[in-house]
Amino acid sequence: MKFVKYSLLPYAVFTALATFATASRADWAISANIEAVRPAPDKMQLQPQNPPGFSWSRYPIATSSTWYLVIIQPPGTAAPIKSVVPRNWLLPTHAFPTAGIYTWKVAPFTRTQAMNDADAAARAKAKAAGSNLAQIEAAAEAAVVPLAEPVAKDWSTVRSFTIDSSAIKFEVYDNATLRDNVLRHGRSRMLPPTFLPYLKWSSAMVTERGDQVRRLIETVQSRLTMAPVKDTDWPLVSSGTMTTALSNQNSDIRNRINRTAHQVEAAALLYRLKQGEAIATAYLNEAIKRGDELAALSPTGPTSYANQDQATRTIALSLSKSLDMLWNNLDSTRKATWQANIARRTTDIYNDLAGSNGRMDQYPYDAHGGNTLGFLALIAALNLGDVPAAQTWFDFAVRTYVHQVYTWSGPEGGYANGTAYGQAAADFSVQIWDPLSQALGVSIYRKPWSDGFLRFMAHFVPPGTPNHVFGDGHEDVPNTYLLKAFASRFNTPAAKWYFNSMTGVEDPLTLLQAPSPLPVNTVATAAPPPNGAFYPSVGWAAMHSSMADTKRTSLYFKSSPYGSYNHSHGDQNSIVLNSGGKRLLIEAGYYDWYGSPLWSSWYRATKSHNAVTYDNGIGQRIEGNTVNLGRNGKITGFSTTSAMDYVEGDATPAFEGALSLNRRKVWYFRSQDAAVVMDTLTAPVAHAWEWNFHAAVAITANADGTATIVNGDRSLCVSSITPGATLVKRDGPAPRTGIEDHAAFTRPAALKGEFVVLLDVGCKKPAVKLTTGTTSRVLTVGSQTITLPLP
């Protein structure tokens, strides 16, 4: 992946934009609210998906009657593509046929009764002519557009994007067609029509998955005597303020509900698999027993959406999945009881996500909300036609979810909230995408973002890595079987390499619902992704000595536009360094619970990361929530070659005016397994400067002012190249397990500060020479030379 900066547009493009634009006015499509969705696509960005999704901020005085007219101008003289939509996003149903630079604009209008009448008349005429659902939808839109154009006056700024041959075709049908697909699928909607009981499996299927049936049986059998879940198990009532006791109770609710839900679904699936065998009835009885337990929990009690949203969505989805698999085996009374619980819980979910005129459309940066939207989409699909509200849920959630997956990055893939939460997203994806794709007839795994997300996880959680990086849960050891499961659904050489290189075995509950053969097993060749990678929309870069080598050195850099929002930390312009599966430069601290005193004062703070602070540990601003989207960073340069990688980041906004400049440049010398880190700092007033670093073992302060870190068979020598920096040891809170040690290079108070630090993996002690010229400095490390600006 290469870093490209557009600095000049061809004259023809300027002409096209000028012709397409209306009179200049304030661009309402960019909200003043920093957490509102930004207009996209923009700035001629090359789109990996064809057609791309379009988003913009809501019209400032929008009401429930406000609709939007979107006009997309293809390259050349082709006719514009016009759409009317009731929400502030558009996902076209058909790919754009022409390569080149497109422009687009959007304007609000008020939907009138005349437009509704034209819509209805066009639908009736198309239906009478025998048109299919897609043709009926197209006819209705074509009837409304001419009526909308004269009243759509307040046009947004014209934006541009590029489609070329590299774009992957990914078309999502309109809601009516998707609903029809679901209803025509029949029960079970979440299982393929080719699903067979075990007795009818081919010998190849038995070889491939017979052991997974055995594993699922063992899991279900081991939980037959599991204590039932009851509302009285959780007596604490939330007062709006989180405490350690309430956090622990919520964790217990989540864990026990997840375990019971897994048992319901696993027993239901085993009943389907064991048709024709005497044991099948026992699995049916267990599924009913555990399903009744979930259905008996009060939607307004401790598992309510208001109290524990993760529990209520799991209950609603698990009951929906089990109901779908056992559709012909449940009596009408039990069906009604389960459906009533599903409806009550899902109505709470829908009212939240669709509330405030569709809050998730305008404010998508919601970690729980984004995942819950997927739950809502699948619940809607599984209950469509049987629960009256399901069509409303479906039309709100399904295409929205496919469009937004996931909002924590741009279309190239990524997960700004950190790889621990990215792993959870991958797990949810497998649980939701398999059944939803089956029901809809559209595979979300084929969405280009999905493949980009997989590559992102491969780059930042590669095989053999000891821990997650950046954000809450960074200290955790990856659950590789979850990532392996996600990788197995892709048919690319990189996915096959990741799948083959990761340890562990997928949960048989999801594996036995996966396509056979697994898509990854249809690929002939395995190949790792590139050694160097940059994900611009999240502001992350990875530099590896060799992706193919599990004993690789991995150097990670972050300077993110998402700042320290939500599960992210005040770690812009920070680095993490691992080698040979050992942690050398770590992120300190541990995640006890969201919002805890430790989380606020240490775990998220800049001083607990490998980054610069001033005046004894003052770092980036992290208090508050939404405001942290503006306290951010940005990667301003990246390049990768076989010999060297380079990344540059600017984290000045993260200090919210306290610093005038916080720039970090990193050179990774792949051929020498060493790195140079250069920080340039300025401020309106004098500060003492600190270059913090941390280790999971003791940091030895040497007499020559250098530091040595030895972790098992791997070592790192850290030394300041420029004079004037003093090495000091630091203190920090006790870690959850093991030890953590902390140190910093410091400089005395001044308006400007600079650090140039050598990270020598393996302590090879290469020759280092810094020569100062009239306009620049030349730094030679071993056999490689780079140019540095003057201080």
Side-chain angles (χ1 to χ4, degrees):
M1 188 177 298
K2 297 180 180 179
F3 177 76
V4 179
K5 181 178 181 181
Y6 290 102
S7 57
L8 200 60
L9 295 179
Y11 175 77
V13 176
F14 276 123
T15 303
L17 290 173
T19 302
F20 194 55
T22 60
S24 177
R25 63 181 68 215
D27 188 12
W28 59 265
I30 302 178
S31 173
N33 190 327
I34 196 170
E35 66 177 337
V37 67
R38 304 284 98 177
D42 197 7
K43 299 178 181 177
M44 293 179 59
Q45 291 169 338
L46 185 63
Q47 299 301 298
Q49 176 178 306
N50 184 12
F54 297 80
S55 300
W56 57 92
S57 295
R58 279 201 302 240
Y59 194 57
I61 55 174
T63 69
S64 58
S65 299
T66 301
W67 279 51
Y68 300 92
L69 172 64
V70 183
I71 301 182
I72 304 164
Q73 179 61 57
T77 59
I81 302 165
K82 302 175 183 180
S83 296
V84 290
V85 289
R87 297 160 69 179
N88 57 312
W89 59 270
L90 166 68
L91 182 58
T93 55
H94 294 91
F96 298 153
T98 307
I101 298 171
Y102 286 71
T103 52
W104 69 281
K105 63 180 181 178
V106 58
F109 68 91
T110 299
R111 179 100 173 196
T112 64
Q113 186 59 48
M115 295 175 189
N116 294 337
D117 292 343
D119 181 298
R123 288 175 185 274
K125 182 177 180 181
K127 186 175 182 180
S131 300
N132 60 33
L133 290 174
Q135 291 168 331
I136 292 172
E137 289 293 318
E141 184 169 59
V144 174
V145 166
L147 299 178
E149 283 189 276
V151 296
K153 300 292 187 183
D154 203 355
W155 290 103
S156 69
T157 293
V158 176
R159 291 178 165 82
S160 61
F161 61 94
T162 305
I163 296 284
D164 71 6
S165 59
S166 67
I168 303 299
K169 183 179 179 180
F170 179 71
E171 296 178 330
V172 182
Y173 310 121
D174 57 83
N175 277 331
T177 304
L178 291 174
R179 290 197 307 269
D180 188 58
N181 286 355
V182 170
L183 295 174
R184 284 190 295 104
H185 189 288
R187 301 288 183 176
S188 167
R189 294 172 181 174
M190 61 180 282
L191 299 176
T194 55
F195 182 89
L196 293 173
Y198 187 80
L199 288 178
K200 295 185 178 181
W201 279 15
S202 66
S203 58
M205 272 288 288
V206 172
T207 300
E208 179 191 3
R209 297 190 179 178
D211 192 51
Q212 305 315 312
V213 176
R214 177 192 60 77
R215 290 178 61 227
L216 190 62
I217 290 172
E218 290 176 353
T219 299
V220 171
Q221 292 288 343
S222 70
R223 294 176 176 176
L224 289 176
T225 58
M226 179 174 61
V229 289
K230 308 182 299 298
D231 287 325
T232 54
D233 294 340
W234 304 294
L236 297 181
V237 178
S238 175
S239 62
T241 301
M242 183 58 65
T243 64
T244 299
L246 187 58
S247 175
N248 290 339
Q249 175 175 285
N250 283 342
S251 294
D252 185 62
I253 292 172
R254 179 177 61 249
N255 294 336
R256 293 188 61 198
I257 292 299
N258 284 346
R259 193 158 52 245
T260 300
H262 188 282
Q263 183 75 347
V264 178
E265 295 170 37
L269 182 61
L270 281 175
Y271 173 71
R272 296 292 299 256
L273 284 167
K274 290 298 182 176
Q275 290 295 298
E277 301 180 48
I279 193 64
T281 301
Y283 294 127
L284 174 62
N285 292 338
E286 176 67 3
I288 291 174
K289 173 186 173 181
R290 299 301 180 176
D292 285 346
E293 284 179 22
L294 293 181
L297 294 171
S298 171
T300 61
T303 63
S304 68
Y305 188 68
N307 187 70
Q308 227 295 7
D309 61 324
Q310 295 167 312
T312 214
R313 71 190 187 187
T314 297
I315 293 168
L317 181 56
S318 185
L319 287 174
S320 297
K321 285 183 173 181
S322 302
L323 189 63
D324 179 63
M325 287 188 282
L326 304 176
W327 189 256
N328 296 321
N329 307 100
L330 300 179
D331 61 74
S332 58
T333 300
R334 179 166 279 111
K335 276 184 182 178
T337 300
W338 288 18
Q339 287 173 337
N341 195 286
I342 292 167
R344 176 58 192 274
R345 292 182 183 277
T346 309
T347 295
D348 290 342
I349 293 172
Y350 169 78
N351 287 342
D352 174 39
L353 301 185
S356 302
N357 198 21
R359 74 170 180 89
M360 287 297 293
D361 293 347
Q362 181 74 345
Y363 305 113
Y365 308 123
D366 178 341
H368 281 218
N371 285 320
T372 302
L373 186 65
F375 279 74
L376 177 59
L378 180 53
I379 292 167
L382 295 179
N383 289 282
L384 190 65
D386 298 296
V387 174
Q391 180 170 329
T392 299
W393 306 337
F394 187 100
D395 289 350
F396 168 77
V398 171
R399 297 188 89 251
T400 313
Y401 179 65
V402 178
H403 166 64
Q404 284 193 356
V405 170
Y406 273 102
T407 194
W408 296 101
S409 80
E412 83 275 12
Y415 208 80
N417 250 357
T419 63
Y421 276 83
Q423 174 185 276
D427 182 27
F428 285 134
S429 297
V430 170
Q431 295 180 52
I432 293 171
W433 294 3
D434 280 1
L436 185 59
S437 297
Q438 181 60 231
L440 298 178
V442 175
S443 176
I444 308 174
Y445 293 104
R446 304 287 80 82
K447 182 180 174 72
W449 179 93
S450 306
D451 184 55
F453 175 53
L454 175 63
R455 290 195 304 274
F456 170 84
M457 295 302 287
H459 275 124
F460 291 93
V461 193
T465 194
N467 60 285
H468 283 290
V469 293
F470 301 135
D472 289 344
H474 61 62
E475 71 280 8
D476 293 343
V477 177
N479 292 329
T480 53
Y481 74 93
L482 297 177
L483 299 174
K484 184 168 184 167
F486 186 68
S488 73
R489 272 54 169 187
F490 295 86
N491 58 351
T492 65
K496 189 174 185 70
W497 168 81
Y498 199 43
F499 177 84
N500 289 346
S501 303
M502 298 293 261
T503 59
V505 181
E506 180 181 347
D507 184 340
L509 176 59
T510 53
L511 181 55
L512 290 169
Q513 299 172 58
S516 178
L518 287 170
V520 75
N521 289 332
T522 66
V523 181
T525 304
N531 294 325
F534 165 45
Y535 294 82
S537 66
V538 296
W540 291 29
M543 297 162 279
H544 300 278
S545 58
S546 172
M547 283 291 287
D549 182 4
T550 57
K551 296 296 184 181
R552 73 187 75 77
T553 292
S554 300
L555 178 59
Y556 304 112
F557 178 86
K558 174 187 174 184
S559 195
S560 176
Y562 288 82
S564 53
Y565 181 69
N566 198 244
H567 290 295
S568 295
H569 291 189
D571 56 1
Q572 318 318 317
N573 279 12
S574 70
I575 57 173
V576 174
L577 179 64
N578 300 324
S579 187
K582 303 296 194 304
R583 303 168 72 198
L584 294 178
L585 292 183
I586 71 165
E587 302 170 275
Y590 65 93
Y591 188 26
D592 51 353
W593 47 274
Y594 189 87
S596 77
L598 178 68
W599 181 84
S600 301
S601 65
W602 171 250
Y603 185 58
R604 297 180 71 231
T606 311
K607 61 186 176 183
S608 70
H609 298 79
N610 303 301
V612 170
T613 57
Y614 63 92
D615 294 347
N616 199 29
I618 300 175
Q620 298 163 26
R621 298 286 298 274
I622 58 172
E623 68 278 9
N625 187 34
T626 301
V627 67
N628 288 320
L629 283 167
R631 299 164 174 165
N632 56 29
K634 181 180 182 181
I635 290 182
T636 53
F638 177 82
S639 65
T640 180
T641 68
S642 60
M644 182 175 69
D645 291 346
Y646 169 76
V647 64
E648 175 185 315
D650 184 351
T652 308
F655 289 85
E656 204 169 61
L659 301 188
S660 307
L661 179 64
N662 179 5
R663 179 186 296 132
R664 171 167 282 186
K665 300 182 178 185
V666 180
W667 294 263
Y668 175 59
F669 303 130
R670 184 169 286 110
S671 59
Q672 300 186 83
D673 203 12
V676 170
V677 182
M678 176 182 178
D679 289 278
T680 305
L681 311 154
T682 64
V685 296
H687 293 298
W689 307 99
E690 300 124 15
W691 199 94
N692 303 280
F693 60 104
H694 311 270
V697 294
I699 299 173
T700 301
N702 303 313
D704 62 357
T706 65
T708 303
I709 299 168
V710 179
N711 190 350
D713 63 346
R714 296 289 161 143
S715 62
L716 175 71
C717 286
V718 186
S719 57
S720 175
I721 293 175
T722 51
T726 302
L727 178 67
V728 298
K729 295 297 291 291
R730 296 291 205 191
D731 295 323
R736 175 179 282 158
T737 59
I739 67 169
E740 289 180 350
D741 207 2
H742 320 282
F745 289 112
T746 65
R747 287 188 176 277
L751 293 173
K752 295 183 178 181
E754 181 188 73
F755 294 96
V756 180
V757 176
L758 174 65
L759 305 177
D760 174 18
V761 179
C763 294
K764 303 175 294 297
K765 301 188 183 302
V768 177
K769 182 179 180 182
L770 180 62
T771 303
T772 301
T774 56
T775 58
S776 63
R777 293 170 292 176
V778 175
L779 175 63
T780 301
V781 177
S783 60
Q784 291 177 281
T785 297
I786 57 176
T787 300
L788 308 181
L790 293 173

